[in-house]
Amino acid sequence: MSVSTPRPIQSWLRLAAVATAGALLLAGCNLFGNGGAGVEDDDEDGGGTAAQAQGGHITVQVTNFAHIDPQSITFGMWLVQMGLLEGLVLQTPDGTDVRPGMAQDWDVSDDGLTYTFHLREANWSNGEPVTAEDFIWSYQRLLDPARGTGGIATGDSSYQANLGILNAAEYNAGIVDDFDEVGIRALDEATLEFTLAAPNPGFIMGLTYPSMLPLNPDAVEGDDSWQQPENWVGNGPYNLVDWVSNSSMRLERNPEYWDNENVALDSIDVQLIEQGSITTTVPYESGEVDIQALAEPAEVTRFINDPDLSEHLILLENSGTTYVTPLHSENTILQDQEVRTALNLGLGREQIAGISELTEPAATLLSPATPDWGEDLATHEQMWGDEAVAEAQRLLAEAGYPDGEGFPNLTLLAGADFPQLDAIVDTWQTNLGIDVTKDVVEVGVYVDRRYDTHDEDYFGLWYGSFSGISTWPYQVQQLWDPNMTREAGLDIDSYAELLEVQSDESLSSSERTETVEQIRHDGTEPLAREFAERVLDAQETVDENEQQEILRDAAAIRERTELFLPVVWNSMYYIAQPHVQGLELRAQADRYYFKDLWVDEDA
């Protein structure tokens, strides 16, 4: 395959994506199946199963946030997704399929390029009808170039360019300046049509991402006060009635919601917990909290080993990957593939995973829950153990650092302190003889440092974790996507040039985008470029099996770049009181919908 010249810029724009959780291809579904396929609900409209048990109240814990605009990256967009707003479709409780939401059904053209959604009769919480034009207004706001292209930092646009909507990424980048050229239009008040640039079997699942939620135009126009309870207008099963900043929220059932009869809970109290804070289960065990994530390894172990408390556990296995990736530094040692390989094989993954019930040693970036995952995807036959360490030591010696002698002090950057950090430091010291220093900083500083350039004295890797749906397009196109991978493979000079171009206000949006793409193509490592090319190849087929095969090949190439070194796979434990019914965890970051829950006081 020739990779000497980049493909047209429009092709690469479709690969831009954020690294928080999104959703794409449906495992086990027809490539272009019509609406409702695979849905198993108690009512024909795809509603919940809770009508038999209406009433009740629960208290839940979620990560704190500053705002709840779903078109900007923040933990608040997930709370909105859980029940304040509703999009065209929702995921099924286990996250493997979709069910009708605002769209009661949909049609797909034979060529897989046109999706037509038929809206049900539904109202906003103020009693006004939800129309196709409301969705158009929302998407034009989302794609406004002034909001910026999709990113991963708090405040970035949440748009997912790999939905592949015709000219959407181009409009967002300023290359196309007329929104009428974007492949979204209202055929009438109840019909919404999308046109894609290329077939995308994951498009419908992608609509379940928070960025694609509709907003009420009249409520949102103006300042951010529309997010306050007194001004809130939503179309989801619950309304926002109270919000104490950094403390709590209260949600109450929305009587205007189209499927209100299948919404069980009358109200929900939301406790807002700071990210990275150590949470206690005392309120849960005293009955003050009904649902919370269980993140402390000692607490997980205690619940697992307690015959009574173990009944409260709900597990989502291997829902995310913890990894490390090189910083861009004037110290160029990590641009040497053999040095990265030595670090990869020298990681004591078994020891790192062994410190917590929440983790397993990771052979690949991809979760093993991904259909047709196999150990053959791993870069090396032995990713840990004595043989791997011996090979790591040999490679490090060949690079000029026998037993780590002369290897500069390695920095491990993180946005919060985790037990795995100390284990990584210890295993690299033990296995390779290199010194590693943790640099744990506030999240905002962490984001800045991991995307900045550094001098020779600041050299190392940053620590991160991604979680999301275990499907091939999501795991390959969304997480560690082609743009992120190619940028990780840039040499320091090319990366510095890329940052300079991105901040150059004298360039038009289209000039900036085209120049950045040329830098990504020309300056990156060959394998990173090959990976991106294979992802584009996957977009050129309408055959689901062929696409999966190409994406699987692309994933294996990405592993071979060793630009992202997998450390452990993370499992997610939640605890729920026995009277809480209907809770099933999904891999997407919202985890579950409030609509699916009900209370059985006899349980």
Side-chain angles (χ1 to χ4, degrees):
M1 176 194 308
S2 173
V3 294
S4 59
T5 57
R7 297 189 187 187
I9 187 67
Q10 289 80 3
S11 297
W12 292 109
L13 281 170
R14 295 200 300 272
L15 294 179
V18 298
T20 46
L24 291 169
L25 181 62
L26 305 181
C29 299
N30 292 331
L31 181 59
F32 303 116
N34 284 345
V39 175
E40 295 181 5
D41 285 302
D42 282 358
D43 67 295
E44 61 183 10
D45 288 325
T49 60
Q52 59 199 9
Q54 281 196 325
H57 168 88
I58 63 172
T59 298
V60 304
Q61 291 184 350
V62 302
T63 303
N64 191 25
F65 40 77
H67 65 80
I68 54 173
D69 184 346
Q71 295 184 352
S72 296
I73 297 293
T74 174
F75 287 109
M77 71 180 187
W78 297 114
L79 186 281
V80 172
Q81 171 93 338
M82 294 171 77
L84 290 177
L85 293 174
E86 184 170 289
L88 294 168
V89 293
L90 298 85
Q91 293 180 27
T92 52
D94 65 0
T96 62
D97 208 336
V98 296
R99 48 181 157 163
M102 285 293 105
Q104 60 185 352
D105 54 51
W106 53 90
D107 306 303
V108 187
S109 61
D110 291 341
D111 61 6
L113 295 178
T114 304
Y115 289 72
T116 306
F117 292 86
H118 307 285
L119 305 186
R120 64 178 76 254
E121 291 186 9
N123 290 337
W124 295 100
S125 56
N126 62 5
E128 297 176 356
V130 178
T131 69
E133 287 293 344
D134 294 336
F135 282 87
I136 296 293
W137 183 91
S138 301
Y139 298 151
Q140 186 165 5
R141 176 181 185 266
L142 171 69
L143 295 169
D144 184 347
R147 297 178 60 84
T149 55
I152 67 172
T154 299
D156 285 348
S157 169
S158 62
Y159 176 58
Q160 305 283 277
N162 57 8
L163 283 172
I165 299 169
L166 181 66
N167 286 331
E170 290 81 353
Y171 179 83
N172 185 225
I175 295 174
V176 170
D177 57 13
D178 185 354
F179 189 77
D180 288 342
E181 295 183 32
V182 176
I184 313 173
R185 62 177 181 145
L187 302 185
D188 55 46
E189 287 192 354
T191 312
L192 189 66
E193 182 184 87
F194 293 85
T195 301
L196 307 187
N200 179 6
F203 175 71
I204 295 179
M205 183 65 103
L207 294 176
T208 69
Y209 193 74
S211 60
M212 303 307 289
L213 294 168
L215 298 170
N216 182 276
D218 292 336
V220 172
E221 285 181 322
D223 59 33
D224 285 344
S225 64
W226 63 272
Q227 300 177 49
Q228 297 305 309
E230 62 271 20
N231 300 321
W232 178 257
V233 179
N235 71 328
Y238 290 93
N239 284 325
L240 175 63
V241 298
D242 187 54
W243 184 2
V244 179
S245 181
N246 302 317
S247 177
S248 64
M249 277 184 158
R250 186 174 178 85
L251 315 181
E252 293 182 355
R253 193 204 311 219
N254 175 13
E256 292 288 343
Y257 178 59
W258 69 271
D259 197 27
N260 181 48
E261 65 180 15
N262 283 313
V263 178
L265 300 174
D266 290 330
S267 58
I268 301 167
D269 279 330
V270 180
Q271 295 182 354
L272 302 177
I273 307 300
E274 290 300 325
Q275 183 188 19
S277 64
I278 297 177
T279 56
T280 175
T281 61
V282 172
Y284 176 86
E285 293 181 69
S286 65
E288 299 171 29
V289 172
D290 295 290
I291 302 174
Q292 76 174 76
L294 201 58
E296 298 301 321
E299 293 285 23
V300 172
T301 301
R302 183 169 69 86
F303 269 71
I304 288 174
N305 294 332
D306 186 296
D308 295 323
L309 293 177
S310 63
E311 297 297 320
H312 296 227
L313 287 170
I314 300 174
L315 171 64
L316 180 63
E317 290 186 293
N318 300 323
S319 60
T321 303
T322 296
Y323 64 98
V324 291
T325 195
L327 294 158
H328 285 96
S329 170
E330 291 179 5
N331 187 324
T332 60
I333 291 176
L334 293 184
Q335 290 181 22
D336 185 335
Q337 172 87 37
E338 289 195 349
V339 172
R340 295 202 303 266
T341 300
L343 291 176
N344 197 4
L345 295 176
L347 266 176
R349 290 177 171 86
E350 285 184 308
Q351 294 94 320
I352 298 168
I355 66 177
S356 173
E357 296 277 1
L358 294 168
T359 57
E360 294 183 11
T364 64
L365 295 170
L366 272 76
S367 163
T370 308
D372 198 34
W373 177 92
E375 293 184 356
D376 60 301
L377 287 168
T379 309
H380 306 283
E381 186 174 344
Q382 298 293 329
M383 291 291 289
W384 58 82
D386 292 342
E387 292 183 17
V389 172
E391 177 64 8
Q393 293 169 343
R394 185 188 68 79
L395 290 170
L396 203 61
E398 283 190 357
Y401 308 103
D403 298 321
E405 183 179 346
F407 199 89
N409 185 81
L410 200 66
T411 297
L412 186 59
L413 172 68
D417 209 352
F418 301 95
Q420 287 93 342
L421 296 178
D422 291 319
I424 293 172
V425 170
D426 290 343
T427 60
W428 271 339
Q429 172 66 55
T430 300
N431 294 340
L432 302 179
I434 62 177
D435 293 324
V436 185
T437 301
K438 290 192 305 180
D439 184 19
V440 179
V441 295
E442 184 270 329
V443 172
V445 176
Y446 162 75
V447 171
D448 288 341
R449 286 186 183 173
R450 80 184 203 179
Y451 290 117
D452 204 354
T453 56
H454 303 280
D455 59 30
E456 287 191 0
D457 294 332
Y458 196 86
F459 149 78
L461 305 99
W462 54 269
Y463 170 94
S465 62
F466 283 164
S467 65
I469 296 168
S470 299
T471 61
W472 286 100
Y474 184 88
Q475 295 282 325
V476 180
Q477 293 173 290
Q478 185 80 1
L479 302 183
W480 314 281
D481 66 89
N483 288 345
M484 182 179 184
T485 302
R486 289 184 299 163
E487 289 181 13
L490 290 174
D491 60 74
I492 183 64
D493 292 335
S494 295
Y495 187 70
E497 182 184 2
L498 180 140
L499 294 182
E500 182 179 352
V501 170
Q502 288 178 329
S503 62
D504 188 347
E505 296 182 357
S506 69
L507 297 174
S508 67
S509 295
S510 59
E511 289 173 332
R512 185 181 302 111
T513 299
E514 290 179 7
T515 305
V516 164
E517 171 51 38
Q518 193 70 51
I519 294 170
R520 286 172 178 153
H521 179 272
D522 293 345
T524 198
E525 296 184 6
L527 279 175
R529 189 162 54 233
E530 184 179 351
F531 161 69
E533 290 281 351
R534 289 300 280 158
V535 173
L536 282 180
D537 289 341
Q539 294 185 341
E540 296 175 357
T541 177
V542 298
D543 182 273
E544 181 179 5
N545 292 329
E546 182 181 358
Q547 185 195 62
Q548 178 169 313
E549 183 177 343
I550 295 172
L551 290 177
R552 197 178 193 281
D553 178 50
I557 295 170
R558 183 179 59 192
E559 299 286 343
R560 295 204 305 274
T561 69
E562 295 182 284
L563 291 167
F564 309 102
L565 309 184
V567 181
V568 293
W569 290 313
N570 299 310
S571 295
M572 174 64 66
Y573 277 100
Y574 269 63
I575 47 178
Q577 300 289 356
H579 59 258
V580 176
Q581 304 292 306
L583 178 60
E584 187 172 357
L585 299 180
R586 295 181 288 110
Q588 188 161 274
D590 50 357
R591 302 305 183 197
Y592 61 92
Y593 296 119
F594 291 135
K595 176 179 179 177
D596 294 327
L597 306 181
W598 73 96
V599 169
D600 182 356
E601 296 295 352
D602 296 327

